[in-house]
């Protein structure tokens, strides 16, 4: 199953706010719905079944206001977006210095699945590419595979804010039986002492984290939690020690969009992370969390409509970090005056 059941029944329409910001999202959705560029991911066979028409945009402010349009309650697998949150968990589990000794923080300019380690240190370059994410996952603490999986699911529950989460077993098995590149990287990293001998367990846990089912609304809550310094704005629960939020946002900013990270930083200017199911999360620190879902991908594995939507949102509302820093962000003003947003 490439995308799961609809959690439509859970939506409370009164949570969706009508406003100028909402109108802008509606217009963006209308504008890009007809854009058919890109292809759904096929290298994981189950993902080839994704519906290319699906398209949702959701933004959640730190006071819990929800702005959404399109397919925001359609479930799909989180894929690489999970890497952000597992990185945070491992920073808490092991501390910054230890994690840094096993996984670097350098952008690669290579594809997300490149079989490459830093020549000198033998570390994977960063926690956002597959090699770095597998190494990160191998650092999750727990007495055995079940405890590590349960701790990881608990962590995701804190960000998502409800307990109705599960793993898509078909996507997990599909990746588990075809993910030879990832397996090869894990063995290479074990050879260089970057991951321990529990290679198959680490790989399974990595495939499980990638197969977690989420919808666009869930992703926006997760992004808003990072924007809110690690506190879920809907539940008020602390999902992550606030002192690690900056670490996560930094690697999202420099590495989250892979070999598009430089152009993304230039045009959109915000910490973000994409996944091959078509999700993108974007964090506007201290302001808002944004998620876009559309399975049609460009050649780097980023959602085509997702990138377009984020570029326009950033340009229109002055969301770029340096617009934000220079006081040119319109959302800051709008957020402080709810009637305007
Ligand atoms: O390991 C993989 O290849 C996938 N589970 C995740 C890749 C991914 O989402 C890359 N993102 N654009």
């Amino acid at each position: 199953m490439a995308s799961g059941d609809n959690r439509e029944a859970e939506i409370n329409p009164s949570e969706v706010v009508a406003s100028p910001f909402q109108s802008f999202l509606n217009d963006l959705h209308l504008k890009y719905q007809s854009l058919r560029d890109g292809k759904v991911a096929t290298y994981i066979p189950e993902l080839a079944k994704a519906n290319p028409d699906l398209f949702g945009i959701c933004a959640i402010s730190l006071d819990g206001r929800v702005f959404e349009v399109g397919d925001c309650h359609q479930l799909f697998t989180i894929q690489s977006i999970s890497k952000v949150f597992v990185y945070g968990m491992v920073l808490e589990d092991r501390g910054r210095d230890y994690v840094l000794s096993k996984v670097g923080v350098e952008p690669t300019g290579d594809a997300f699945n490149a079989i490459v380690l830093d020549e000198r240190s033998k570390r994977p370059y960063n926690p956002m590419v597959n090699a770095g994410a597998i190494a990160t996952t191998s650092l999750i603490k727990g007495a055995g595979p079940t405890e590590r999986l349960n701790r990881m699911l608990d962590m995701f529950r804190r960000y998502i804010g409800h307990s109705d989460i599960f793993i898509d077993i078909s996507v997990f098995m599909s990746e588990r039986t075809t993910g030879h590149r990832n397996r090869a990287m894990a063995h290479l990293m074990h050879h260089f002492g970057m991951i321990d001998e529990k290679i198959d367990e680490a790989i399974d846990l990595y495939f499980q984290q990638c197969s977690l089912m989420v919808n666009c609304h869930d992703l926006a809550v997760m992004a808003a939690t990072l924007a809110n310094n690690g506190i879920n704005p809907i539940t008020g629960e602390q999902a992550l020690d606030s002192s690690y939020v900056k670490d996560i946002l930094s690697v999202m900013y420099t590495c989250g969009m892979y070999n598009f990270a430089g152009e993304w930083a230039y045009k959109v200017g915000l910490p973000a992370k994409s996944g091959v199911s078509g999700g993108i999360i974007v964090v506007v620190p201290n302001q808002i969390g944004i998620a876009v879902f559309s399975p049609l991908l460009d050649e780097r594995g980023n959602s085509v409509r997702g990138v377009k939507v984020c570029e326009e949102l950033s340009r229109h509302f002055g969301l770029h970090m340096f617009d934000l820093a220079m006081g040119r962000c319109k959302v800051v003003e709008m957020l402080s005056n709810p009637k305007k947003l």
Side-chain angles (χ1 to χ4, degrees):
M1 183 168 69
S3 52
D5 299 334
N6 214 311
R7 280 205 289 252
E8 205 71 59
E10 286 178 11
I11 310 170
N12 174 2
S14 65
E15 285 171 14
V16 180
V17 185
S19 68
F21 187 69
Q22 178 66 51
S23 305
F24 191 80
L25 295 189
N26 296 349
D27 291 348
L28 277 181
H29 191 268
L30 198 63
K31 177 173 174 183
Y32 289 115
Q33 181 74 71
S34 56
L35 179 66
R36 305 285 305 188
D37 294 354
K39 294 191 176 85
V40 303
T42 52
Y43 76 98
I44 300 171
E46 276 299 299
L47 295 189
K49 299 176 183 169
N51 176 355
D53 295 330
L54 292 171
F55 182 25
I57 310 171
C58 182
I60 298 185
S61 62
L62 303 196
D63 57 4
R65 276 172 285 167
V66 178
F67 307 87
E68 62 184 20
V69 55
D71 302 303
C72 289
H73 294 265
Q74 172 68 47
L75 292 172
F76 53 93
T77 54
I78 188 169
Q79 295 300 337
S80 284
I81 299 172
S82 63
K83 295 168 180 174
V84 168
F85 304 95
V86 173
Y87 183 52
M89 178 178 184
V90 161
L91 285 169
E92 283 185 329
D93 272 5
R94 306 277 182 177
R96 193 172 282 125
D97 291 342
Y98 187 75
V99 175
L100 208 48
S101 73
K102 300 289 181 189
V103 186
V105 288
E106 282 305 323
T108 62
D110 291 321
F112 65 83
N113 58 359
I115 303 185
V116 54
L117 301 176
D118 179 71
E119 186 58 38
R120 200 170 41 82
S121 68
K122 307 300 182 200
R123 291 176 307 178
Y125 274 94
N126 67 67
M128 301 292 114
V129 291
N130 287 4
I134 294 164
T136 306
T137 301
S138 78
L139 297 176
I140 292 177
K141 278 191 175 168
T146 309
E147 188 177 315
R148 285 192 280 278
L149 173 63
N150 286 336
R151 287 193 65 240
M152 186 178 80
L153 291 177
D154 281 343
M155 174 277 292
F156 281 120
R157 273 189 199 100
R158 292 196 294 276
Y159 281 98
I160 293 173
H162 61 75
S163 50
D164 182 21
I165 67 168
F166 55 94
I167 285 166
D168 185 327
I169 197 74
S170 307
V171 174
F172 166 63
M173 288 306 293
S174 187
E175 224 177 323
R176 189 176 199 243
T177 49
T178 60
H180 305 299
R181 282 185 80 97
N182 285 333
R183 232 171 257 287
M185 276 185 278
H187 281 273
L188 187 66
M189 290 191 290
H190 175 59
H191 171 77
F192 285 117
M194 291 299 134
I195 72 173
D196 68 21
E197 69 293 343
K198 297 190 286 300
I199 301 171
D200 290 338
E201 286 180 22
I203 277 284
D204 271 357
L205 192 53
Y206 169 74
F207 291 145
Q208 283 159 350
Q209 79 180 54
C210 291
S211 304
L212 178 77
M213 299 293 273
V214 289
N215 61 34
C216 193
H217 180 277
D218 293 332
L219 288 181
V221 179
M222 297 168 90
T225 300
L226 291 175
N228 197 31
N229 218 11
I231 298 168
N232 184 316
I234 309 293
T235 64
E237 190 177 3
Q238 184 100 41
L240 170 77
D241 182 337
S242 297
S243 64
Y244 291 119
V245 172
K246 194 172 71 175
D247 301 59
I248 295 177
L249 296 183
S250 302
V251 288
M252 286 173 77
Y253 192 70
T254 52
C255 315
M257 300 299 280
Y258 308 115
N259 39 346
F260 187 62
E263 196 169 329
W264 176 274
Y266 182 74
K267 287 186 175 164
V268 180
L270 289 167
K273 184 77 201 78
S274 63
V276 284
S277 286
I280 298 181
I281 59 166
V282 184
V283 178
V284 189
N286 208 24
Q287 306 299 333
I288 204 161
I290 301 169
V292 188
F293 166 55
S294 166
L296 290 168
L297 307 180
D298 62 24
E299 62 286 355
R300 292 148 167 145
N302 297 323
S303 167
V304 175
R305 289 181 183 131
V307 169
K308 293 273 181 214
V309 165
C310 296
E311 284 177 357
E312 280 212 31
L313 269 176
S314 178
R315 197 165 50 239
H316 186 83
F317 289 104
L319 298 179
H320 194 292
M321 294 267 271
F322 303 131
D323 282 330
L324 209 66
M326 302 290 182
R328 288 192 290 256
C329 175
K330 289 188 205 151
V331 166
V332 174
E333 187 206 332
M334 290 164 94
L335 280 167
S336 57
N337 184 346
K339 285 199 186 114
K340 282 193 177 173
L341 193 63

